[in-house]
């Protein structure tokens, strides 16, 4: 049985398809045609790769694993698996392409990858998706550091500019600082923005301390 | 092409786009009969029911008639029906209205931890105004227990608000039993029955509630209209002051067309309730059983049988609901998820968490709510594509969670295989 009214709405809906997506066409392309995916078949042959990085946690709703192959200091292969929403999947796929295009980024270049570079190539993401779903750059940094470690180039490893507060999400003190500046003045609000301390509740007291510190500093409460 | 790309191609390829709407708990389509009933009041019969002349009087008569019809379905008097602008408004009116009016008798409120935001948020606001709120827990099926209500009751409790049936997981709550318990207590009992309308009995005498919320957009009526049943003698502080409409309890010129439409929608929904519920239960169980059988590591959310006839909700491990929803969308299937990624606040479903499942299960939860347009073919079509979507997303996902640990280990702990 089909309601007569739906006859009309059906054609309306189909006409709008594409336009009614909340994401850009580029996101859609990468979501439905993921590039450089390493299919999860149960196990991974680690010997094929030179570096590995993992960020996020299933409790937060986003998690990713990333593997790189390095030849002559260029990243020639970049494979990934992602648990998360369309923007998380598409942004990892996009980043993997950016890393290996033009014969591959040098490892130094790979360390310079930022969420903004990925987002620009994707044609933007809805604002509230940015903090949580673009994790690729963090996984890439970890993978490159892992490569440096394994290849005895410890001195080249990138040290986090800011202290990591929640290892699950790689959220740093600087991220919390920024969130407070953007108006997230409570733990609840900061968690909405950064999803920090959701999987890993032990870090909450530290987060609360930081929020208090920055709220006092900027809002004098 | 990789294996996954091929699979996506095969799934989405050049399949014709369907229109399978399975999000009727979010909102329903407008019944053409309801639309027709509303029509005159959107055009020629536009008078203000408060006016003395003819087109005002005919609008007034239409509102009175609608009120009478609604009252007869609820088995109450027309005076006990207040028309509002939404279910949310009715919930706010009941909670703020009762709490603020009766604060001198006590400042304690009891509600459940699985309420709709329209109840949850007013309660939070009342805490800021000096009230105390006790949140009742739910069991693993999402049901409140009467004993917990009893244990939470205090001499200064003035209001208990528990929903009739849950919007996310469909579990039906023991409303009659709670009302029975409260019979000799001063506390008023409010229930949000928005999801129950059209599926369960709305007889307020039988239910024994003091206040009950309904809205139009879940019963094939319009969005932007609701009612609050308020038992005779229950005094409330109004939220909206104005020209004395709705016995001075809700100011503002009556939305005549929507009120007429609401009454018509409720009349239709109640008239076909038993037959339609029986039909939907069959389809619902076909869908639930099909999903549970064809997909490994799937958990049913809500009670197996004490659930709304149209509501199926499952958590599919290792995948995330928004991505899943977008695949369905490409195939013309419209359903929803409790994943954080689709909510404005980025919070995963508080209802699924309250049943004791970890966050992972909320992120991977999928809700299909069937409706009047749903056919057996629709259900079978959904069942024919879902396993492929799950397979694709699981091949993309690094997770491999251990299903057997989900409940045994208690809240928030999932283990990797």
């Amino acid at each position: 049985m089909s309601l007569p009214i739906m006859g009309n709405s059906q054609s309306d809906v189909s006409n709008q398809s594409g336009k009614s997506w909340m994401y850009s066409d580029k996101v859609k392309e990468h979501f439905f045609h993921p590039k450089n995916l390493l299919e999860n078949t149960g196990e991974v042959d680690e010997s094929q790769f030179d570096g590995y990085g993992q960020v996020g946690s299933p409790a937060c709703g986003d998690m990713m694993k990333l593997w790189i192959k390095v030849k002559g200091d260029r990243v020639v292969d970049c494979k990934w698996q992602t648990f998360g929403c369309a923007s998380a999947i598409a942004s990892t796929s996009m980043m993997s392409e950016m890393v290996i295009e033009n014969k591959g980024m040098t490892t130094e270049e790979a360390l310079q990858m930022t969420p903004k570079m990925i987002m620009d190539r994707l044609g933007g993401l809805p604002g509230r998706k940015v903090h949580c779903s673009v994790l690729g750059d963090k996984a890439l940094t970890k993978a490159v550091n892992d490569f440096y470690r394994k290849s005895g180039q410890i001195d080249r490893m990138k040290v986090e500019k800011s202290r990591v507060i929640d290892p699950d999400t790689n959220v740093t003190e600087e991220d919390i600082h920024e969130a407070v500046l953007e108006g997230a003045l409570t733990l609840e609000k900061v968690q909405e923005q950064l999803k920090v301390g959701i999987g890993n509740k032990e870090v909450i007291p530290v987060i609360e301390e930081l929020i208090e510190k920055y709220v006092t500093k900027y809002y004098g409460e | 092409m990789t294996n996954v790309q091929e699979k996506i191609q095969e799934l989405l390829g050049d399949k014709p786009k369907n229109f399978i709407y399975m999000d009727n708990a979010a909102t329903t389509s407008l019944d053409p009969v309801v639309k027709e009933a509303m029509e005159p009041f959107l055009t020629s019969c536009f008078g203000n029911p408060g006016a003395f002349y003819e087109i005002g009087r005919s609008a007034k008569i239409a509102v009175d008639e609608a009120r009478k019809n609604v009252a007869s379905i609820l088995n109450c008097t027309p005076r006990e029906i207040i028309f509002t602008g939404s279910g949310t408004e009715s919930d706010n009116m009941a909670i703020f209205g009762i709490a603020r009016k009766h604060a001198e008798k006590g400042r304690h409120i009891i509600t459940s931890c699985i309420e709709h935001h329209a109840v949850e948020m007013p309660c939070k606001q009342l805490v800021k105004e000096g009230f105390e709120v006790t949140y009742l827990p739910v069991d693993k099926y999402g049901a409140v227990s009467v004993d917990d209500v009893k244990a939470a009751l205090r001499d200064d409790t003035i209001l208990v608000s528990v929903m009739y049936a849950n919007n996310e997981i469909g579990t039906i709550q023991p409303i009659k039993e709670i009302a029975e318990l409260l019979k000799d207590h001063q506390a008023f009992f409010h229930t949000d029955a928005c999801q129950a309308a059209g599926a369960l009995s709305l007889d307020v005498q039988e239910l024994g509630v003091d206040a009950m919320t309904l809205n139009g957009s879940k019963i094939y009526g319009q969005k932007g209209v609701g009612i609050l049943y308020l038992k005779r003698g229950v005094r409330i502080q109004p939220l909206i002051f104005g020209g004395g409409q709705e016995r001075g309890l809700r100011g503002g010129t009556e939305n005549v067309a929507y009120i007429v439409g609401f009454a018509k929608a409720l009349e239709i929904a109640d008239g076909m309730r038993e037959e339609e519920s029986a039909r939907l239960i069959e389809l619902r169980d076909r869908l639930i059983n099909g999903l549970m059988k064809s997909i490994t590591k799937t958990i049913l959310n809500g009670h197996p049988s004490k659930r709304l006839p149209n509501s199926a909700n499952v958590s599919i491990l290792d995948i995330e609901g928004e991505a899943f929803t977008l695949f369905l969308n490409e195939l013309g299937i419209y359903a929803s998820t409790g994943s954080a990624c689709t909510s404005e606040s980025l919070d995963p479903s508080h209802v699924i968490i309250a049943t004791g499942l970890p966050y992972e299960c909320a992120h991977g939860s999928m809700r299909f709510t069937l409706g009047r347009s749903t056919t057996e073919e629709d259900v079978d079509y959904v069942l024919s594509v879902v396993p492929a979507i799950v397979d694709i997303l699981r091949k993309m996902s690094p997770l491999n969670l251990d299903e057997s640990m989900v409940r045994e280990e208690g809240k928030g702990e999932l283990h990797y295989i």
Side-chain angles (χ1 to χ4, degrees), chain A residues 137-204:
Chain A
D137 59 305
K138 289 144 197 112
L140 182 61
T141 300
K142 282 195 171 180
V144 171
N145 276 338
D146 185 45
F147 159 69
Y148 285 155
R149 192 182 304 116
K150 283 178 177 158
S151 56
Q153 310 179 67
I154 308 284
D155 52 316
R156 296 182 75 190
M157 284 174 69
K158 184 181 178 184
V159 185
E160 285 293 339
K161 284 193 295 283
S162 179
R163 172 164 73 112
V164 173
I165 301 300
D166 182 355
D168 273 0
T169 50
N170 250 15
V171 165
T172 62
E173 177 168 349
E174 189 50 31
D175 292 331
I176 293 170
H177 180 184
E178 265 178 49
V180 172
L181 277 175
E182 284 167 25
L185 306 187
T186 60
L187 176 65
E188 236 177 13
K189 295 276 173 205
V190 168
Q191 284 189 316
E192 273 176 26
Q193 233 185 70
L194 301 175
K195 286 191 176 180
V196 66
I198 288 175
N200 186 2
K201 302 229 186 285
E202 298 96 79
V203 301
I204 286 179

Side-chain angles (χ1 to χ4, degrees), chain A:
Chain A
M1 177 175 90
S2 172
L3 293 174
I5 194 83
M6 281 191 176
N8 297 327
S9 44
Q10 180 168 5
S11 56
D12 292 344
V13 168
S14 349
N15 289 344
Q16 285 168 4
S17 90
K19 281 180 206 150
S20 56
W21 249 69
M22 68 180 290
Y23 295 118
S24 69
D25 287 347
K26 201 77 188 163
V27 172
K28 191 172 181 174
E29 184 198 315
H30 277 275
F31 178 57
F32 288 124
H33 304 278
K35 313 288 183 336
N36 305 309
L37 172 73
L38 184 71
E39 287 180 25
N40 184 349
T41 52
E43 45 192 71
V44 175
D45 180 7
E46 298 285 347
S47 70
Q48 281 188 51
F49 301 101
D50 303 309
Y52 166 71
Q54 178 190 323
V55 286
S57 89
C60 305
D62 291 289
M63 182 181 159
M64 133 186 350
K65 292 182 178 178
L66 193 103
W67 295 263
I68 56 169
K69 202 186 256 179
V70 182
K71 248 184 205 155
D73 208 47
R74 280 186 182 273
V75 184
V76 292
D77 204 0
C78 177
K79 297 280 194 198
W80 55 271
Q81 290 170 355
T82 293
F83 162 78
C85 54
S87 59
I89 288 169
S91 65
T92 328
S93 171
M94 181 75 252
M95 188 194 75
S96 69
E97 270 205 330
M98 293 164 72
V99 170
I100 61 168
E101 68 194 0
N102 304 323
K103 292 180 187 153
M105 286 181 164
T106 64
T107 56
E108 298 279 346
E109 282 168 345
L111 287 176
Q112 304 301 316
M113 180 71 74
T114 65
K116 188 171 183 309
M117 287 159 71
I118 304 169
M119 277 199 312
D120 287 349
R121 283 283 293 269
L122 282 174
L125 282 176
R128 64 200 177 84
K129 293 276 185 180
V130 175
H131 279 286
C132 53
S133 63
V134 185
L135 292 171
D137 59 305
K138 289 144 197 112
L140 182 61
T141 300
K142 282 195 171 180
V144 171
N145 276 338
D146 185 45
F147 159 69
Y148 285 155
R149 192 182 304 116
K150 283 178 177 158
S151 56
Q153 310 179 67
I154 308 284
D155 52 316
R156 296 182 75 190
M157 284 174 69
K158 184 181 178 184
V159 185
E160 285 293 339
K161 284 193 295 283
S162 179
R163 172 164 73 112
V164 173
I165 301 300
D166 182 355
D168 273 0
T169 50
N170 250 15
V171 165
T172 62
E173 177 168 349
E174 189 50 31
D175 292 331
I176 293 170
H177 180 184
E178 265 178 49
V180 172
L181 277 175
E182 284 167 25
L185 306 187
T186 60
L187 176 65
E188 236 177 13
K189 295 276 173 205
V190 168
Q191 284 189 316
E192 273 176 26
Q193 233 185 70
L194 301 175
K195 286 191 176 180
V196 66
I198 288 175
N200 186 2
K201 302 229 186 285
E202 298 96 79
V203 301
I204 286 179
V206 185
I207 302 165
E208 283 177 321
E209 225 169 80
L210 287 171
I211 294 168
E212 204 192 324
K213 173 178 144 188
Y214 291 118
V215 167
T216 313
K217 184 170 169 187
Y218 297 107
Y219 302 91
E221 275 180 52

